[in-house]
Each structure stands twice: as structure tokens, then as C-alpha cells.
Amino acid sequence: MQSSIMNPFSSGTRLRDMIRAIRACKTAAEERAVVRKECAAIRASINENDQDYRHRNLAKLMFIHMLGYPTHFGQMECLKLIAAPGFPEKRIGYLGLMLLLDERQEVLMLVTNSLKQDLNHTNQYIVGLALCALGNICSAEMARDLAPEVERLLQFRDPNIRKKAALCSIRIIKKVPDLAENFINPAIALLKEKHHGVLITGVQLCTDLCKISTEALELIRKKYTDGLVRTLRDVANSPYSPEYDIAGITDPFLHIRLLKLLRVLGEGDANASDSMNDILAQVATKTESNKVAGNAILYECVQTIMSIEDNGGLRVLAINILGRFLSNRDNNIRYVALNMLMKAVTFDAQAVQRHRATILECVKDSDASIQKRALELVYVLVNETNVKPLAKELIDYMKVSDHDFRGDLTAKICSIVAKFSPEKIWYIDQMLKVISEAGNFVKDEVWHALIVVISNASELHGYTVRALYKAFQTSAEQEILVRVTVWCIGEYGDMLVNNVGMLDIEDSITVTESDVVDVVEIAIKRHASDLSTKAMALVALLKLSSRFPSCSERIREIIVPFKGNFVLELQQRSIEFNSIVAKHQNIRSTLVERMPVLDEATFVGRRAGYLPGTASTTTATSVSLPNGVAKPVAPLVDLLDLSSDDAPAPSSSGGDLLHDLLGVDLSLPSQQSGAGQSSNSGTDVLLDLLSIGSPSAPSSSSTVNILSSNASIEAPVSPLDDLSSLSISSRTTSNAGAAPMMDLLGGFSLSPPTENNGSVHPSITAFESSHVRLTFDFSKEPGNPQTTIVQATFMNLSSETYTDFVFQAAVPKFLQLQLDPASSNTLPAAGNGSITQNLKVTNSQHGKKSIIMRIRIAYKINGKDSLEEGQISNFPRGL
């Protein structure tokens, strides 16, 4: 004992002394030193098998474990204390077992026998210790071994043991669901208990049994639903009981457990739902909502009402309760109410609409979580009838909202306006308000869509450009507003000067040609303007030089300084545009005439994730071919995901996808740089693809051909001009006829390849399902062994006619693939006809690698989409 006093860190140090020493440490290093010395003393005591201080050592190890230090060396001490005969030792042993070990520890297997003995012990307190430990760390193996003992204890005389046995049973059936049937009858017997502690655990056990076992669910639903309803009614109507009273409510925990069990029983069963309607209405109307316990019960009651079978009156009552929650001062209550209202919208949107004003107030809340959840709910509530007032409220709040929340708010407003706008002028007005107040938060696809709408609203061109001109005077710091303004001025600047298309709702303004040029000059000289904005401004200046000849010289003076710009894109545009203004006045007006109307449907498809008019489906926007529709980008990636070393990865860029699918080299020069000019973007690839009749571009910028009657001139385009790539192809193709169409497809011939007398290969059945058979016939071009001409024949094996038939194919990069139009897009039923389509495959690894192809066949049966996919690798050798 004397040595213990002299050495404060001996194994005999009391727990409180160790805690005091650790808390007295001023640095982490001092704490580690104290813990290290104490652990060394405990190890020495363990090695000496010191029984006198074993329980004290384990208590100290538990404290050290809670501090985060390793204590694995003390695990066996837990087992030794559990095996001891006395209650104090067992108590500290089981506590250490639950704290220092978990179900993944192998040493846990050694304690199973001790647990079994203690579960059968005559001392009920030792039985309770064993049940607690088993309920916390039970593994599947222990559950199987000890389930009979736990099942027996569910009928033990002492209510505390029955309660702990029920909680332990929950752990067992979750670990081993097969044992659930053994606990059904004992669990149901607990539902008749008068002791609330046992009853609440019995209800929880029955709830988990119903989730795990269909047999238990049906049994309890048919025979015991009415009994549970009576129990809930008794609890709700019971007089004051100090033993269970919380804030004036009798046992709210039992209320909640009973409501959860009723929710499981009523879900999907009309009879059970009917039997609990009255008690749910009583709980919903009589429970006080000014206390936390009452709100907890009301929340569970609302969840139950929303989950059971339809009762319109009850659901309206539940939604009204949630509406009251929204006015509560507690943020947590408002948040859960918003969450529940999100679910309630699917059941009764009209009832939720009544609380729209309160929900809008939540959008303006200071709590960020409530703001975002309320905004999501408002977004769901918007429809054609209320879009105008809701959009106005949101836009008004956007002007004063926090910077962190403005991005989410702006995105939702833009989506709402685009989805539900009743007319184009309203859409344009709202979008101008958004980009004027929060333009820097607007995503590219949003302002692209705005420009597409403006382009299609020909009667509003003058109104729009005037509105943008006014907005620019006050909000020139908003980048997106500047871009849209510059684009519209470039297209419709003459309308601004001449006050063309004046509407009754607007006032006349006086704008000179010089004022218009001033706007573009300000935009291009702003330090905050990025590359895309400056490039668009240069294009606008070029167009204004044609519309305002008197300002041509001033425009040249603005353009010329960019000839020495460090950014290659701006430098090149400046040089080329300066040359056009100075030397090519005769063609300038044709070159910079207004953009054709942008195809709104195509742009919507692209926003939804579709590739517009890819040649893989042998279609273009300008020509209506029999077999071709745009397909989503993501399936296109899947289609190209071949099991070949050379197969492109799913993360390939848009250009690579088109390269593989089209079999042509669509790669752009690597010198491209700057925002909006990514060399891998799918739209840039399409620009080159749709560049009709043009030679290879000698420069690094994207080009588009603008054809006049006698001239074909390449003009660099801004990133925004990508939006018009398809419409330009439409306009030009209609003038050029069939020959330009060949250029549109990059040299693809629209006529089937001529038969040849090259080497003959046997036909194969490339793909066959219960609906479609695809056969390939092969032929070779004389003197060109790398190229194989494949005639694909499709046969319908079903009794239904297929419409909108589309065939797609993809190959690895060492192959090039060309598809000709299919003979039809309707495949007759039962083999009464076929569709043929020619493919041309060029194998750059001829003789080394065989052809491999992934295919997709899409069609409609009675208006319903159907899709079949497959991989073809059984091509004959020598191809």
C-alpha cells in the first residue's frame, strides 16, 4: 500500500485520481504521457494476474478508450470479470464488453457460454446484465445460439426482464430474420401488458416483426389491429398519471410507438385503415401543439395518416397540422413540416396550396436549411395558374436574398419561368429581371434558352432589345445580362435605333447609332468581361458595321486594338473582322445578315440531354430521312462501351463519341483555347460536321459557312453561334439540294453502295431475340481489303408491326463506320417484310484485329418505346 501511495501511476491508483491527473494536463503530449504510464501499469497488473484491482483496471481502460486511445490488450479482462461469480465484477465486465468490443471481434465467441449461463442465472439482476450485453453486441452466431433463452425470458415474472428480453429480441430478429417466426406469439402476448415499459418494447418488437415477416404482418393486422386501436384510445384518454406524465401528456413515447405500428398495419390495407381512422382523428384534434411532446405525437400522427389508405378528410386535417407547424418558432418543427408537405403534395396538392403564403415566408427564413427545403416545396407547388404570383414573389425576394442562397433561388426561378410561362413576352420580362439582378448566378443553358426564345419571338425583337438596352444602363456588372444584350444588339440593333415594333406597354426612347455602339464598346472594354463576352462583342461590332455604315470607322478603331491581344481567339477575330470591314464591303451585308430563327424544339432536346441530329442515326435537322431520331448522350456512352482494349471509355468527350459512332475524324485543332471554345465540346464538333461545302479550316477557331448566291465565306463564330449550327444547316441545305447534303454528312453517300465483285464472305445472323432478327451480308471493294460493305437486314419475328424503327451502331477507334439511310422506318409483322440498311466499315488494323460492333435497335410497339441492345463479335475472319 505504501508503494501505491508513492507511485501515483501504479495499478492501484483509483479511477478518480487518474481522471484528475489526465484533466490536469495542459498539453496533448502531457496527456499522452499520463495515459502511456497508466496503460503500462495496467499491462503489468494484467501480466501478474492481479485479481484485486482487475475491476478497477477495466474501469480505467474504459475511460482511456473513451479518450480515443487503444485498449485492445484489456479485452480478455472483460471475459475474466464476466466469468466471476459476483454481481459487481460481472457488472463492470459486461460494461467493458459492450464498450471495448463489438460484434466483429473474434474474442466475442468466447463469451457465448458465459452469456448462456447468466441468462439462466437465479439472480434477475445478473440476467438483466446479460440481456443488456446481448442486445448491444449480439452477432448472428450468438443470436442463433441464445435465441431460445431470450424467447423464454419474454415470459419471465419480472417486468424489467421482459422489457430487456423484448429489446434483445429486436436485435436477434434483425441479425437472423429466419428466427422471426419463433418470436411472433411471445411478442403478441406482450401487447396485452399493463406495464408501460413492457408494452412499449412489445409494440416495438411487433413493429419490427411486421417489417421482417409477412406472416407476422398478416396475423397482427387481422387479429390485433382493433386491440391496438383500443390501447391507443385508452392511453390518449387516460387521466393524469404522475408515473407516465410528460408536459401534461400521458406517456408520449407509447403514443408514438403505437402510431408507428398502426402505420405499418394500415399501409396497403383498406380495412385496417378504416378501423384506425377515428382514433387518428381524435389524436390529431385533441393533442396540444404548444408542447414538444404534443408536437412529436402530432408529427407521428400525420405520418401515419399520410401512409395508410386514402381518407381525404384525414389528409386535409394532417396537412392543416403541418401548416400550423410552419408557424412554429422552433426551426426543427418547421423543417420536418416542410419535409412532410413535400410528401403530401403527391396526395393532395390542393390542400397544400392553401398554405402557399406560409411556405413562401419560409423561403425568406434566416435558416439556410429551411430556406432550401421551402424553395423545393414552392417549386413543386408551381403550376400554370399560380406561376405569375409565385414567380413575382420569388424574384422580389431574390433582390434582397443572401449571396449564398441566391444561386439556388435563381436556378429555381429560371426553371419555373421556363416550364410554366404562359406567353413569350412574360417569359422574356421575367428572365430580364433575373439576369439584371442575379445574372452572375445564371447558368449557360439558361441564357442560351432565353436567346432561342427571343430568336423565335419575331414580333418582340424590338421590345426585347429596348428592354435590354435599358437594363444594361443600370446593371452592366451582370455578365450574363451583358452577353444577352450584346447578342441582341448585334442582331437587332437597327430596331433599337428606329423604335421598330413598339408595344402599347412601353414608352418610346431615343437611341442613336453611336449610343448602340457605346454599349458594345463598354462591354468589350470591361475588365470583368470574360473571353466569351468579348468574342461575342466583336461579332456584334462586325454586324453593326453593316447595319450602321456611318459608324464603320469607329467600329474599326474598337476592333483593331485586339489584333495584338494575348488571347489567340480574340486576336484572330480582330484581324479577320478588320479585314472584312476594310476590304469586303461588297459581301459584308450578306455575311452578317440576321441569324436564322433558332430551332426551339432542337434546343429543348439538347437541354434534355439529346444529341441533335447525329449522323449515327442518319438524320440531320434540315432533311427528313426515314430512319433517324436523336438519342440521349448517356446511352450513347453505354453503346460505345465495348469490351475491347481500344474501346473508348465512358468519359470520352463528345468529339470522341461522334468520331467512333460516325467513323469520321471530327477532331478539332488542339490550339483552340479560351472559354466557350473547348475543343472537345459536342457543339463544336457539330459545327464542323455541319460546315457545308467548306474546305478544312486553316485556323484554330470554329467556323461556320454562311452561303450567299455566289459566295461561300468562312466566318469565325462566337460560342453563342453554336446555338444556331443546326438552323444554319437547315437554311443552307434547302438552297443547295442533294450535293450539299453529301457534304453535310461529311462525305457520306446517301445512295446504297454499288455491288462489287470482291471477295465473298458468308452471311451471319448478327443478332436475334424473340422480337427481331438481324442478318449481315458482306462484300468487299476491289483493291481495298480494309473496307467492308455490310448489308443489314432486319426481320420482325412478332405479330405486331414496329414503327419509328431506328438502328444505331458503335465501333472502337481502330474502326471507322458509315451508315446509310434505312429502306424504311416501319417493320411489318410476322416476317411479311424487312428493312435493309447499308454499313461501310473500315478496319485500320486489318489482319490484326477483327471487327467488333455494339448495336442498339429502337422501335415502337403500339406507341410504346422498346429498346434492344447487343454486341456483335462473330464477324467472319478476314474482314
Side-chain angles (χ1 to χ4, degrees):
M1 188 65 184
Q2 184 68 23
S3 61
S4 174
I5 295 173
M6 293 181 63
N7 180 7
F9 300 112
S10 69
S11 62
T13 306
R14 292 180 302 175
L15 174 63
R16 69 178 64 180
D17 293 333
M18 186 195 74
I19 295 173
R20 191 176 292 118
I22 289 174
R23 288 180 175 171
C25 296
K26 296 181 179 179
T27 65
E30 287 182 28
E31 179 185 292
R32 286 195 297 270
V34 172
V35 171
R36 192 161 48 244
K37 289 179 182 178
E38 190 62 48
C39 287
I42 292 172
R43 281 196 190 93
S45 180
I46 291 173
N47 291 336
E48 294 170 4
N49 199 21
D50 187 351
Q51 298 184 13
D52 295 336
Y53 294 112
R54 181 171 286 157
H55 64 287
R56 181 183 292 177
N57 288 340
L58 189 55
K60 289 190 283 187
L61 278 177
M62 284 189 280
F63 184 80
I64 291 170
H65 174 81
M66 287 188 287
L67 293 176
Y69 295 96
T71 55
H72 55 277
F73 57 88
Q75 290 175 352
M76 289 303 297
E77 294 299 287
C78 297
L79 273 61
K80 292 176 182 177
L81 284 171
I82 290 171
F87 175 78
E89 291 82 5
K90 284 183 179 291
R91 182 175 63 175
I92 197 74
Y94 277 120
L95 184 59
L97 183 75
M98 290 184 281
L99 195 61
L100 304 183
L101 282 81
D102 58 47
E103 61 182 274
R104 295 167 295 182
Q105 302 286 343
E106 292 183 3
V107 72
L108 204 61
M109 293 186 297
L110 302 175
V111 82
T112 303
N113 193 47
S114 296
L115 278 168
K116 190 165 189 174
Q117 290 177 0
D118 288 343
L119 288 173
N120 292 295
H121 204 281
T122 54
N123 187 333
Q124 68 182 41
Y125 299 105
I126 291 177
V127 175
L129 289 175
L131 285 171
C132 277
L134 188 61
N136 277 282
I137 61 167
C138 172
S139 64
E141 292 78 10
M142 293 172 69
R144 290 189 180 92
D145 293 339
L146 301 175
E149 279 71 22
V150 176
E151 183 183 345
R152 177 181 55 80
L153 290 172
L154 285 171
Q155 301 162 10
F156 197 78
R157 64 183 183 279
D158 186 74
N160 286 321
I161 298 299
R162 294 202 300 276
K163 177 177 68 175
K164 292 179 180 181
L167 292 172
C168 190
S169 302
I170 294 171
R171 171 93 178 192
I172 289 173
I173 63 173
K174 285 182 177 179
K175 288 294 176 184
V176 188
D178 294 343
L179 295 174
E181 61 182 17
N182 299 337
F183 289 90
I184 294 175
N185 291 327
I188 290 174
L190 295 179
L191 296 178
K192 302 174 183 177
E193 286 279 351
K194 299 300 181 184
H195 189 281
H196 282 207
V198 181
L199 179 58
I200 197 171
T201 54
V203 170
Q204 181 61 40
L205 177 56
C206 288
T207 303
D208 287 301
L209 280 170
C210 290
K211 293 177 181 178
I212 292 171
S213 169
T214 307
E215 178 187 349
L217 175 61
E218 293 302 324
L219 179 62
I220 297 174
R221 179 181 282 164
K222 288 180 180 179
K223 295 186 177 181
Y224 298 97
T225 301
D226 292 337
L228 289 166
V229 169
R230 282 195 301 274
T231 303
L232 180 57
R233 182 177 289 110
D234 292 342
V235 173
N237 297 329
S238 63
Y240 173 76
S241 173
E243 185 179 359
Y244 302 117
D245 184 84
I246 296 177
I249 297 173
T250 303
D251 204 344
F253 299 102
L254 182 56
H255 269 92
I256 289 169
R257 289 297 178 191
L258 286 167
L259 287 168
K260 285 185 176 181
L261 179 53
L262 290 175
R263 179 159 77 239
V264 173
L265 297 176
E267 195 168 358
D269 189 280
N271 293 330
S273 299
D274 288 341
S275 65
M276 62 184 74
N277 282 340
D278 291 342
I279 186 59
L280 291 175
Q282 178 184 335
V283 171
T285 52
K286 291 189 175 181
T287 305
E288 296 181 18
S289 60
N290 57 350
K291 302 284 178 60
V292 173
N295 285 327
I297 293 172
L298 286 174
Y299 176 69
E300 285 300 331
C301 186
V302 168
Q303 280 199 308
T304 302
I305 290 170
M306 291 299 178
S307 299
I308 65 175
E309 289 307 292
D310 185 28
N311 185 306
L314 268 184
R315 286 187 174 162
V316 171
L317 176 61
I319 291 170
N320 290 338
I321 291 172
L322 295 175
R324 292 205 308 271
F325 279 3
L326 292 179
S327 303
N328 199 294
R329 289 177 297 177
D330 190 296
N331 286 350
N332 294 320
I333 293 176
R334 280 186 289 165
Y335 186 81
V336 297
L338 290 169
N339 272 339
M340 280 302 300
L341 285 171
M342 284 287 289
K343 299 175 184 176
V345 168
T346 58
F347 299 115
D348 193 344
Q350 196 59 41
V352 180
Q353 289 280 4
R354 298 192 192 103
H355 304 281
R356 196 172 64 210
T358 313
I359 297 167
L360 270 172
E361 287 303 313
C362 290
V363 175
K364 304 171 186 177
D365 196 89
S366 57
D367 186 280
S369 299
I370 292 176
Q371 278 185 330
K372 291 183 179 180
R373 184 59 71 191
L375 181 60
E376 291 171 4
L377 182 54
V378 169
Y379 181 75
V380 174
L381 291 177
V382 175
N383 54 40
E384 290 82 358
T385 59
N386 62 23
V387 62
K388 288 188 176 182
L390 280 178
K392 181 180 182 302
E393 289 277 356
L394 292 175
I395 291 173
D396 288 344
Y397 175 63
M398 180 188 67
K399 299 174 183 178
V400 296
S401 63
D402 293 336
H403 190 83
D404 294 337
F405 182 55
R406 194 170 294 185
D408 292 336
L409 183 58
T410 302
K412 292 295 185 186
I413 292 172
C414 293
S415 181
I416 288 169
V417 171
K419 190 174 181 181
F420 298 105
S421 78
E423 52 193 355
K424 288 185 177 179
I425 187 170
W426 184 84
Y427 170 82
I428 291 171
D429 284 342
Q430 305 313 307
M431 291 305 300
L432 291 190
K433 290 178 184 177
V434 171
I435 64 175
S436 297
E437 295 294 336
N440 295 331
F441 295 92
V442 173
K443 296 181 179 179
D444 284 350
E445 59 265 23
V446 174
W447 66 271
H448 288 177
L450 173 59
I451 285 178
V452 171
V453 173
I454 293 171
S455 170
N456 280 270
S458 56
E459 71 282 2
L460 298 175
H461 286 168
Y463 170 79
T464 304
V465 74
R466 284 188 291 275
L468 284 165
Y469 177 80
K470 294 174 187 175
F472 182 85
Q473 309 303 319
T474 57
S475 305
E477 74 282 356
Q478 301 293 341
E479 188 75 15
I480 299 304
L481 173 67
V482 174
R483 289 187 191 177
V484 178
T485 302
V486 164
W487 187 89
C488 286
I489 283 178
E491 295 298 318
Y492 318 118
D494 52 334
M495 293 184 173
L496 176 59
V497 173
N498 300 323
N499 277 331
V500 175
M502 287 289 296
L503 302 181
D504 296 337
I505 60 174
E506 57 177 327
D507 299 326
S508 175
I509 59 172
T510 302
V511 182
T512 64
E513 294 179 354
S514 179
D515 292 337
V516 175
V517 176
D518 285 343
V519 171
V520 184
E521 184 177 11
I522 291 170
I524 203 170
K525 291 183 177 179
R526 283 173 68 244
H527 291 294
S529 294
D530 62 11
L531 172 63
S532 296
T533 305
K534 291 180 178 179
M536 292 171 65
L538 284 172
V539 174
L541 286 170
L542 176 63
K543 294 190 173 188
L544 291 178
S545 69
S546 173
R547 297 176 186 20
F548 305 151
S550 61
C551 296
S552 289
E553 192 56 37
R554 181 187 169 193
I555 289 171
R556 271 196 68 215
E557 292 173 359
I558 300 172
I559 291 175
V560 166
F562 287 90
K563 292 170 69 174
N565 197 284
F566 289 116
V567 179
L568 182 61
E569 176 67 28
L570 298 179
Q571 182 187 118
Q572 180 179 334
R573 287 178 186 238
S574 175
I575 293 170
E576 293 175 352
F577 292 177
N578 181 56
S579 176
I580 292 170
V581 173
K583 302 177 183 178
H584 299 284
Q585 289 87 349
N586 57 328
I587 62 170
R588 183 174 58 186
S589 59
T590 305
L591 181 65
V592 298
E593 64 186 22
R594 282 204 181 98
M595 293 275 285
V597 175
L598 304 175
D599 187 350
E600 204 165 351
T602 300
F603 183 76
V604 170
R606 289 170 68 182
R607 286 191 68 191
Y610 289 81
L611 284 178
T614 56
S616 61
T617 52
T618 64
T619 185
T621 306
S622 55
V623 178
S624 178
L625 295 180
N627 186 13
V629 293
K631 284 293 175 185
V633 177
L636 185 61
V637 174
D638 295 338
L639 188 63
L640 296 171
D641 189 15
L642 304 180
S643 56
S644 165
D645 293 338
D646 297 288
S651 60
S652 301
S653 65
D656 289 338
L657 296 179
L658 285 169
H659 175 278
D660 294 334
L661 198 56
L662 298 174
V664 292
D665 187 5
L666 297 178
S667 58
L668 295 176
S670 60
Q671 293 90 345
Q672 285 184 338
S673 64
Q677 291 290 332
S678 171
S679 61
N680 291 329
S681 68
T683 50
D684 288 344
V685 172
L686 285 170
L687 274 177
D688 286 353
L689 179 65
L690 299 172
S691 187
I692 303 169
S694 67
S696 300
S699 63
S700 61
S701 64
S702 302
T703 60
V704 61
N705 280 1
I706 305 175
L707 300 184
S708 63
S709 56
N710 298 316
S712 176
I713 301 171
E714 288 186 351
V717 294
S718 70
L720 188 56
D721 288 341
D722 291 353
L723 291 170
S724 62
S725 57
L726 294 178
S727 296
I728 292 174
S729 70
S730 172
R731 174 177 167 228
T732 315
T733 305
S734 63
N735 294 332
M741 186 60 202
M742 285 187 63
D743 290 336
L744 175 65
L745 295 178
F748 296 172
S749 171
L750 292 185
S751 59
T754 56
E755 295 297 327
N756 56 76
N757 298 321
S759 55
V760 177
H761 295 274
S763 300
I764 64 168
T765 299
F767 175 82
E768 185 169 0
S769 68
S770 59
H771 302 94
V772 177
R773 178 189 298 131
L774 167 62
T775 57
F776 280 171
D777 296 298
F778 306 97
S779 58
K780 287 280 191 181
E781 291 183 351
N784 189 3
Q786 292 185 334
T787 301
T788 303
I789 297 171
V790 183
Q791 184 180 59
T793 304
F794 302 90
M795 188 73 69
N796 185 349
L797 304 180
S798 74
S799 58
E800 302 285 345
T801 299
Y802 299 161
T803 58
D804 295 343
F805 190 90
V806 179
F807 171 67
Q808 290 179 296
V811 293
K813 288 186 177 180
F814 69 88
L815 300 173
Q816 287 190 349
L817 174 66
Q818 296 179 14
L819 279 79
D820 288 339
S823 59
S824 173
N825 64 351
T826 301
L827 189 56
N832 293 327
S834 62
I835 293 177
T836 59
Q837 188 165 2
N838 290 318
L839 298 76
K840 190 174 183 179
V841 185
T842 301
N843 187 352
S844 62
Q845 301 286 330
H846 182 259
K848 299 179 182 178
K849 292 186 178 181
S850 300
I851 296 175
I852 187 171
M853 183 182 297
R854 194 162 183 84
I855 64 165
R856 175 175 291 148
I857 302 170
Y859 50 86
K860 289 186 177 180
I861 306 175
N862 297 326
K864 294 184 179 179
D865 291 328
S866 185
L867 185 71
E868 301 197 36
E869 295 181 343
Q871 182 169 309
I872 305 173
S873 55
N874 60 334
F875 285 88
R877 292 192 176 185
L879 298 181

